[in-house]
Amino acid sequence: MKGLKFLTCTVLSAILLTLVNTAVAQRANRVNIKGVVTEQTVSGASETVPFATVQIPSLGITVVANEKGEYQMVGITPATYEFVISCLGYETQTLKVNVTAAKGVYN
């Protein structure tokens, strides 16, 4: 099975989750998260994974990436969460990520 990976601008061998704080939501300390689900091919190239599911089970949040592998979650309270990424034909990945209110990219 193929492994799902979240990649920033560079391809890394470890599984990464790209969280970009696009704006502080209306309530204080809430953030919006967006990212792209990709896989790293055997040759090392990065390819998007369309329609992958991205979940934060502890919050009951599930989103589906679009045809470009892009997803967005809105109004997330900063904390450490387990993200579960899955797609038919790929191995499900679980990642622990510390989401903060600071704007930036998190691995």
Side-chain angles (χ1 to χ4, degrees):
M1 290 190 134
K2 298 177 185 177
L4 293 180
K5 299 189 189 250
F6 285 82
L7 303 175
T8 56
C9 295
T10 58
V11 177
L12 302 175
S13 60
I15 298 170
L16 300 176
L17 178 63
T18 303
L19 300 176
V20 180
N21 175 6
T22 57
V24 175
Q26 290 182 356
R27 287 179 260 168
N29 295 325
R30 301 245 174 169
V31 296
N32 297 336
I33 299 167
K34 69 177 181 178
V36 178
V37 180
T38 62
E39 69 166 312
Q40 186 173 2
T41 64
V42 176
S43 67
S46 176
E47 294 182 10
T48 60
V49 178
F51 310 112
T53 301
V54 181
Q55 299 176 307
I56 303 177
S58 64
L59 297 179
I61 296 174
T62 300
V63 297
V64 177
N66 65 17
E67 68 280 354
K68 297 177 184 176
E70 301 166 335
Y71 69 92
Q72 183 169 357
M73 295 177 173
V74 178
I76 306 300
T77 301
T80 299
Y81 298 105
E82 280 194 356
F83 283 69
V84 178
I85 305 93
S86 60
C87 190
L88 188 61
Y90 293 85
E91 181 179 334
T92 297
Q93 301 291 313
T94 301
L95 307 167
K96 188 172 278 194
V97 178
N98 184 25
V99 176
T100 69
K103 187 173 182 177
V105 177
Y106 305 92
N107 295 334

